[in-house]
Amino acid sequence: MTPWIQSSSRFNARLLRRVALLVVLIATVLRCGGLGAAEPEPVHVEGAEEPMFGLGSWMWDKDTQARQECGFWTRFEIPADTDVGRARLRIAADNFYRVFLDGRVLGQGSDWRIITEYDVTLILQPGPHILAVQAVNDFDQAGVLLGLKIELADGRTVETGSGTGWRVVPPGEGHWERRRTPLDRWGQSVVVAPLGGAPWQNPGPSTIKQAPPLFPIEVRFWQAGWFQATLASVCGIVIFLCLHLGSRVVIQSREQQIVRRERARIARDIHDELTAGLTKLVLLGETTRTELPRDSSVRSQITELCEQTRGLLTSMNETIWMINSQRDTVRDLVSYACKYAETFLRQTPIRCRFDVDGDLPSDACDVATRRNLFLAVKEALNNVVRHSRSTEVHLRCHCQDNTLVVVVEDNGSGFDPAKADPDRNGLSNMQQRALEVGGTCQVVSQPGRGCRIEFRLPLNHSSWNRIRRVLSGNGTAKNNSSGAEEHG
């Protein structure tokens, strides 16, 4: 090769290198804005398949102030004819944010240089959804950057990014992140800078922070709204019933106090007036009878008058005992029944034996209970004297399992309950009296082997238990009354 050719080749190589260097310099100047404005270069996000997928622009309220709080609200919808394959939400804010999905807090952050990614695949279902961001800034510059990308199973994509389509919620609104529709007073968001623009230029969001996966909230049945509403309603009804029953108890207690005072007054009046008057009549009759001749017809009439008056006096004393509020106990009831039996059988050849517990309770016993049980025992003793032809009768009073048991048993001729005279009412009356106070009456008898009449009375006097005893005692009383009538 000649020297001229070698020199020409070296010249061409140097020229080509200079032209290439000039092209590179021109491209650098254009990229740096020396010859005109150029679009900002996309920011690279490390470890991402799509560095800035779905991210919109930096948005804020139209007026920016230091230490300003803004709420951003938007609504999106996932088609109902498909499923969610993958859904990721990326967000950053200057300076602080808290992000909500359908009212549920997904997370929060405070560094605008880091984009936080939330995997919301498992908590998104087809249908409408609400996305909300609560943001606060420290200085004049403020913005929120967000992108939501939902990849559907059929290949379609739903994307929502920050920008002008959001509603700005003023401070002071309550539960705005759960609202399904915006209010008219909510303003529109504005774009304060594009992605990568000032004042959030490079270095901008340069890394992605992966948040822990989000899972659906498992709602137990007791956490469901219908259950809590039902429970609240039931509690309200129970409280109302308790207050109503409590007020009725107070009123009833006061009424009972008034009734007891009135009963005590009536008992005193009867004792002081009627009993004393009847006693004077008996004494006057006895005095008059002694002054008459023995063969006088008037003497026999006065004797009969005195006997009738004594009977009235006995009935009056029983009435006074029944209405006297100071004798409203089980112990007084048994004591009075025993005294009556002793007095009643004293003028008969029948011997009376008593078997009574020494530790009978002093539980309250209302007028109806005392009256019906005493009259039933009285009817049983009367039947013994009239029909049994016995020489001995036992009166037993015991407490068994919170139940008062009163037994009238004789050693007389007895009878067959199946063949009892249906026209007699003695036994049916005893059974009816026991049933009226929530107790039972059982008659056991055989010809030649005496008769046993047993009364059972529960000592629990609550209203509900009394009603329950009456209802449950219907069958027993019916069975007992079907074959047991007054013997004679």
Side-chain angles (χ1 to χ4, degrees), residues 22-71:
L22 180 61
V23 171
V24 171
L25 290 176
I26 293 173
T28 302
V29 172
L30 291 176
R31 185 168 58 249
C32 294
L35 296 181
E39 292 294 329
E41 186 176 10
V43 180
H44 176 68
V45 182
E46 299 177 1
E49 299 175 359
E50 301 175 62
M52 287 298 157
F53 77 95
L55 286 175
S57 303
W58 291 92
M59 67 177 179
W60 197 255
D61 194 5
K62 60 181 180 181
D63 297 324
T64 303
Q65 302 174 4
R67 297 181 180 178
Q68 182 181 5
E69 178 180 346
C70 287

Side-chain angles (χ1 to χ4, degrees), residues 415-424 427 443 481-488:
F415 69 102
D416 185 359
K419 299 179 180 180
D421 187 357
D423 296 331
R424 300 298 182 92
L427 294 181
V443 179
S481 62
S482 62
E485 293 295 336
E486 181 183 8
H487 52 291

Side-chain angles (χ1 to χ4, degrees), residues 103 213 236 292 362 428:
L292 295 174
S362 57
S428 61

Side-chain angles (χ1 to χ4, degrees), residues 93-113:
D94 186 359
N95 294 93
F96 172 82
Y97 76 87
R98 181 179 288 114
V99 61
F100 305 86
L101 180 61
D102 295 327
R104 174 183 174 180
V105 179
L106 302 182
Q108 61 186 27
S110 58
D111 189 352
W112 66 270
R113 297 176 180 83

Side-chain angles (χ1 to χ4, degrees), residues 154-441:
D154 57 4
R156 291 179 293 176
T157 301
V158 176
E159 295 189 17
T160 299
S162 52
T164 57
W166 292 63
R167 304 296 294 271
V168 180
V169 182
E173 292 283 350
H175 307 289
W176 59 272
E177 68 276 2
R178 300 176 181 271
R179 290 191 59 88
R180 310 305 295 181
T181 56
L183 299 178
D184 295 337
R185 61 175 176 270
W186 294 359
Q188 294 285 343
S189 62
V190 298
V191 174
V192 294
L195 179 63
W200 299 284
Q201 297 172 327
N202 293 339
S206 57
T207 58
I208 289 181
K209 176 183 177 182
Q210 298 285 343
L214 296 170
F215 297 94
I217 299 176
E218 185 177 0
V219 180
R220 305 290 184 179
F221 75 93
W222 60 81
Q223 297 174 324
W226 65 267
F227 180 83
Q228 296 178 355
T230 304
L231 182 62
S233 301
V234 172
C235 291
I237 294 174
V238 170
I239 293 174
F240 172 77
L241 291 178
C242 290
L243 293 176
H244 177 68
L245 294 177
S247 63
R248 292 192 61 182
V249 168
V250 172
I251 295 174
Q252 186 177 10
S253 177
R254 293 178 180 177
E255 291 176 350
Q256 289 177 353
Q257 293 177 1
I258 296 174
V259 170
R260 283 195 295 267
R261 289 196 298 265
E262 189 64 17
R263 285 169 51 197
R265 184 190 65 80
I266 294 173
R268 289 193 302 268
D269 293 345
I270 293 176
H271 180 271
D272 296 341
E273 297 293 337
L274 297 180
T275 304
L278 291 175
T279 304
K280 290 180 181 180
L281 288 176
V282 173
L283 294 176
L284 181 60
E286 291 291 343
T287 303
T288 304
R289 187 183 64 173
T290 57
E291 296 177 353
L292 295 174
R294 292 184 178 274
D295 57 351
S296 174
S297 60
V298 178
R299 183 185 179 97
S300 61
Q301 294 178 356
I302 292 178
T303 301
E304 184 179 357
L305 178 62
C306 291
E307 293 298 328
Q308 293 289 337
T309 305
R310 288 191 183 94
L312 291 175
L313 187 59
T314 302
S315 300
M316 190 66 65
N317 289 331
E318 293 178 3
T319 302
I320 293 174
W321 171 80
M322 290 180 186
I323 66 175
N324 191 354
S325 61
Q326 298 178 354
R327 297 292 183 264
D328 286 348
T329 63
V330 175
R331 187 177 302 169
D332 290 328
L333 170 62
V334 173
S335 177
Y336 191 82
C338 292
K339 289 180 181 179
Y340 173 81
E342 182 181 6
T343 303
F344 179 69
L345 297 175
R346 183 178 300 166
Q347 300 177 356
T348 67
I350 302 175
R351 185 177 181 179
C352 184
R353 295 182 179 274
F354 298 100
D355 182 9
V356 181
D357 286 345
D359 56 348
L360 289 173
S362 57
D363 295 351
C365 190
D366 56 29
V367 177
T369 302
R370 292 194 298 136
R371 177 178 178 274
N372 283 282
L373 185 57
F374 173 73
L375 292 179
V377 173
K378 183 178 178 180
E379 179 68 24
L381 294 174
N382 185 54
N383 287 343
V384 170
V385 174
R386 292 176 57 191
H387 307 291
S388 67
R389 297 190 295 273
S390 62
T391 60
E392 190 174 77
V393 62
H394 289 262
L395 179 60
R396 299 184 177 92
C397 300
H398 302 282
C399 282
Q400 300 177 359
D401 300 330
N402 203 29
T403 301
L404 177 63
V405 180
V406 179
V407 178
V408 179
E409 185 176 6
D410 64 70
N411 62 349
S413 59
F415 69 102
D416 185 359
K419 299 179 180 180
D421 187 357
D423 296 331
R424 300 298 182 92
N425 298 322
L427 294 181
S428 61
N429 288 341
M430 288 188 292
Q431 292 164 351
Q432 183 63 32
R433 291 186 185 280
L435 180 62
E436 288 179 0
V437 294
T440 60
C441 175

